[in-house]
Amino acid sequence: MNLAILRDTGSSPVDDDIARIARTARCIAIVGLSPNEVRPSWGVARYLKSQGYLIVPVNPTHAGSMILDEHVYPDLRSIPPEIEVDMVDIFRRVDAVPAIVDEAIAHLPKLRTIWMQLGISHPQATARARARGLTVIEDRCPKIEFPRFL
């Protein structure tokens, strides 16, 4: 007997968002980017840069230095307006997320996406960002997700 295997070929709404982000994002501020090459943030930033995205390191401990040949800013508000950040990728503890989201909303006029890394989600910050029309991805990694859509 020949059994047909049914496969779900549809995509989920979050997959649709990730596909759009992967294809349209150009400038990604990475909050909590470490200069340490063994840290996940460094590997993600290196991957994103290798795919043609402009990365903007944000880390107050390393402000003024360079990570992956990019100037490090102490916070999102310090990024010059001519650097048109359209996505913020958060590598910080969950308790830091609300302040980062609020700062991003207040200081990044071209912002379209808030991305929270694996293990990070914050319903209240997510609701505030979505209320401002932003796309929010929680508990995912662009280095894992983007290759499916590029």
Side-chain angles (χ1 to χ4, degrees), residues 72-84:
V72 181
Y73 294 92
D75 49 42
L76 294 170
R77 74 175 51 104
S78 299
I79 298 171
E82 61 270 14
I83 300 175
E84 297 181 348

Side-chain angles (χ1 to χ4, degrees), residues 14 17 21 88 90 93-105 111-117 119-140:
V14 85
D17 284 342
I21 294 162
V88 171
I90 302 173
R93 292 184 326 263
V94 71
D95 60 338
V97 169
I100 293 166
V101 169
D102 291 345
E103 184 178 48
I105 290 168
L111 184 65
R112 295 190 314 233
T113 303
I114 298 287
W115 192 294
M116 297 177 214
Q117 278 295 326
I120 304 297
S121 64
H122 196 286
Q124 295 84 4
T126 295
R128 283 199 307 275
R130 287 185 175 146
R132 294 291 187 115
L134 300 176
T135 300
V136 180
I137 305 295
E138 298 177 278
D139 191 26
R140 304 267 184 129

Side-chain angles (χ1 to χ4, degrees), residues 6 35 52 59 80 86 89 91 101 103 110 114 116 134:
L6 298 177
N59 186 323
D86 51 19
D89 188 4
F91 277 92
V101 169
E103 184 178 48
K110 301 291 185 178
I114 298 287
M116 297 177 214
L134 300 176

